[in-house]
Amino acid sequence: MAVKDNQPTLHRHIKRIAALRKPVSRHIETEKTRNRFTTRTVEVFDDLTAINSQWTGIKSLIRVERVGTRTGKAYRQVVCYINSIVATAKEFAHGIRGHWGIENRLHWVKDVVLNEDNSTIRMGKAPANLSIMRAIALNLLRRNGYASITIAQRFISHDIDKLLALVE
């Protein structure tokens, strides 16, 4: 679970531990994709002293630093996590990347391509139902070989037979 400024005491504690203690595990990976170059450093800490007792089950503190360039502009981002398991930095790195894969392949597409955030439907169960329908539509398009949802929309939006063929 990501820890942000909405939990300021816990967030400060993880940052302090990361600054003062040696991690029990560290994993560094570098990636170059299109116009982005990123180095990710994942560190795992097991010093759980001074954590409020309301946070039951915490076994690991994780700090992820992303440094790189995006379209020629430098960036640096630090994100802290808590977890209820003990694992290596490499295992946490894999899990975090997997989560971002879901974010990029589902939520970002629903927000940007399908314009979900701008929907004016906000009452009752309708927003959740439409979100499920969008996810089903994305799954149908991907299952039928469409890598680009935008191209798929253009290709099938005015052809009911092509649309119905996706469901068969």
Side-chain angles (χ1 to χ4, degrees):
M1 179 167 90
V3 177
K4 301 176 184 174
D5 288 330
N6 61 345
Q7 295 295 333
T9 305
L10 181 60
H11 197 230
R12 278 192 308 272
H13 178 72
I14 296 171
K15 286 181 172 181
R16 185 172 43 254
I17 291 296
L20 299 175
R21 303 271 194 264
K22 183 179 177 186
V24 294
S25 180
R26 176 182 286 141
H27 177 71
I28 300 171
E29 61 185 8
T30 301
E31 178 180 63
K32 183 177 183 340
T33 56
R34 290 174 279 196
N35 59 354
R36 183 181 296 186
F37 180 81
T38 305
T39 298
R40 284 180 211 83
T41 303
V42 178
E43 297 175 320
V44 179
F45 301 88
D46 62 358
D47 184 349
L48 305 175
T49 57
I51 291 182
N52 189 315
S53 61
Q54 75 177 8
W55 294 103
T56 59
I58 294 177
K59 303 264 198 259
S60 302
L61 307 175
I62 302 107
R63 180 182 177 272
V64 179
E65 180 180 35
R66 296 175 189 95
V67 178
T69 57
R70 199 177 290 139
T71 58
K73 296 179 184 172
Y75 70 92
R76 179 180 178 269
Q77 179 186 35
V78 175
V79 181
C80 299
Y81 298 89
I82 55 174
N83 209 303
S84 60
I85 64 171
V86 175
T88 66
K90 186 174 185 176
E91 291 168 322
F92 280 124
H94 181 74
I96 292 166
R97 289 292 289 156
H99 169 78
W100 280 107
I102 293 167
E103 176 67 28
N104 292 336
R105 287 188 46 84
L106 177 62
H107 301 296
W108 184 87
V109 173
K110 286 169 68 178
D111 291 346
V112 176
V113 178
L114 300 180
N115 213 17
E116 187 172 64
D117 284 350
N118 293 328
S119 175
T120 57
I121 299 167
R122 304 202 191 288
M123 300 294 289
K125 297 186 188 305
N129 289 338
L130 285 173
S131 182
I132 291 167
M133 294 299 292
R134 289 181 188 100
I136 291 170
L138 291 174
N139 285 321
L140 282 172
L141 292 171
R142 289 201 174 109
R143 187 173 188 194
N144 283 276
Y146 291 100
S148 168
I149 304 306
T150 303
I151 290 172
Q153 282 181 312
R154 290 182 194 141
F155 183 68
I156 65 171
S157 64
H158 299 295
D159 191 334
I160 191 71
D161 293 325
K162 287 179 186 172
L163 184 60
L164 291 174
L166 294 177
V167 185
E168 294 177 345

